[in-house]
């Protein structure tokens, strides 16, 4: 019997601080952060965007080895076909089917094809990296539900939340995507009311997933910033790893010391190495128009209270 690959999955709404948290986890001995693997087929193997190491995906030695070992090369895996298969299986609207034991014949066949590919991919990542835990910051709830169906994956689920006002403010900013080198590309913007609905829906779906998945944990980004060592110790335990003295030396008074890594996709901060300040970006408190703030607070209030956030004032409960 081959041991399944332990995958620590970072789930939640985009711009919740998941990239810096995942990079911190990637600094722990035995952990290897691969970025948002859900985008490997489209942004990596097809569009050849930049890996976190600075090389283009198809030129990165790490991902070249993984592709060869898993499929005999990325071209042989037919990335466009896998992307189409993802669209036919891994979508929020298919979550009920992904969670039910019998999703119907056609869906089961497509799911089986995708999970077989993913099983080979994660096994190759573990073999090439030599690490016990693969940290995947894909965030999507349907991709987490898909990974649960991969027999050779032992999924550990971390659900990260951040104050909805901070998330909404971040989605309103214009941010360039440095990994796209052939043209100017920007991170998506989402208007406040739609973002508030998305925050509530996606976090609510992760709450559902945490009810059915045994190895799961919730973490507020703000709590990670306040005490990174304590948060990382808890998350390492979720992945079945006990930290030793010295494992957290990269956690420093002013922030984190981060090294370059082979991440497929994520927030542009994935290209910043060395000392990285760690703070709760609460610019929304002064910069967000009061009307927007009232709308997002009202629309996300039930979830905010559920995760222990205050709707007024400065700190979390
Ligand atoms: Zn790389």
């Amino acid at each position: 019997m081959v041991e399944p690959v332990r995958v620590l999955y970072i789930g939640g709404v985009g711009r919740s601080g998941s990239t810096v948290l995942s990079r911190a986890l990637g600094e722990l001995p035995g952990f290897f952060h691969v970025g948002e693997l859900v985008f490997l087929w489209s942004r990596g193997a097809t569009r050849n965007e930049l890996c976190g190491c600075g090389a283009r995906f198809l030129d990165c030695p790490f991902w070249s080895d993984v592709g060869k070992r898993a499929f005999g090369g990325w071209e042989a895996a037919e990335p466009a076909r896998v992307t189409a298969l993802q669209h036919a299986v891994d979508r929020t609207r298919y979550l009920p089917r992904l969670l039910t034991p019998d999703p119907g014949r056609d869906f089961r066949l497509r799911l089986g094809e995708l999970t077989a590919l993913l099983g080979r991919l994660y096994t190759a990542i573990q073999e090439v990296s030599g690490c016990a835990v693969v940290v995947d910051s894909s965030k999507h709830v349907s991709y987490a539900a898909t990974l649960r169906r991969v027999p050779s994956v032992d999924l550990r689920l971390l659900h990260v939340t951040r104050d909805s006002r901070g998330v909404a403010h971040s989605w309103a900013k214009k941010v360039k995507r440095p990994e796209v080198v052939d043209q100017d590309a920007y991170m998506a913007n989402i208007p406040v009311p739609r973002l508030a609905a998305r925050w509530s829906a996606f976090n609510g779906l992760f709450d559902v997933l945490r009810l059915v998945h045994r190895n799961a944990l919730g973490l507020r980004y703000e709590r990670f910033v306040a005490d990174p060592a304590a948060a990382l110790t808890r998350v390492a335990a979720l992945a079945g790893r006990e930290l030793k003295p010295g494992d957290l030396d990269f956690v420093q008074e002013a922030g984190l010391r981060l090294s370059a890594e082979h991440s497929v996709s994520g927030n542009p901060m994935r290209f910043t190495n060395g000392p990285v300040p760690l703070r709760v970006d609460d610019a929304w408190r002064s910069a967000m128009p009061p009307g927007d703030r009232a709308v997002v607070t009202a629309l996300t209030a039930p979830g905010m209270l559920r995760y222990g956030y205050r709707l007024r004032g400065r700190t979390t409960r």
Side-chain angles (χ1 to χ4, degrees), residues 258-277:
L258 298 175
S259 37
E261 53 178 18
H262 299 290
S263 55
V264 163
S265 180
N267 186 282
M269 76 74 60
R270 73 193 174 100
F271 295 105
T272 308
N273 303 318
V276 173

Side-chain angles (χ1 to χ4, degrees), residues 51-55 60-63 261-263:
C51 175
C53 70
C60 166
F62 174 78
W63 289 112
E261 53 178 18
H262 299 290
S263 55

Side-chain angles (χ1 to χ4, degrees), residues 72-115:
W74 292 112
E75 213 174 276
E78 299 181 73
R81 207 178 56 83
V82 182
T83 305
L85 190 57
Q86 279 184 307
H87 279 285
V89 173
D90 169 13
R91 302 184 77 161
T92 310
R93 70 177 70 161
Y94 297 142
L95 202 57
R97 290 201 225 185
L98 288 166
L99 294 179
T100 182
D102 184 14
R105 187 179 170 275
D106 288 352
F107 192 84
R108 192 172 60 243
L109 287 174
R110 294 196 296 269
L111 177 62
E113 196 183 343
L114 183 59
T115 53

Side-chain angles (χ1 to χ4, degrees), residues 241-316:
R241 306 279 294 186
E242 202 178 319
L243 300 186
K244 295 185 193 68
D247 287 353
L248 290 166
D249 283 355
F250 67 93
V251 179
Q252 301 175 333
E253 206 158 305
L256 307 171
R257 181 171 290 278
L258 298 175
S259 37
E261 53 178 18
H262 299 290
S263 55
V264 163
S265 180
N267 186 282
M269 76 74 60
R270 73 193 174 100
F271 295 105
T272 308
N273 303 318
V276 173
L278 191 61
R279 62 194 173 86
V280 174
D281 179 1
D282 58 359
W284 62 270
R285 292 181 188 279
S286 52
M288 195 176 203
D292 284 355
R293 179 173 171 158
V295 166
V296 72
T297 303
L299 290 177
T300 60
M304 288 278 281
L305 294 170
R306 198 164 65 243
Y307 303 126
Y309 290 98
R310 287 184 198 275
L311 302 183
R312 294 161 182 269
R314 290 198 62 83
T315 51
T316 54

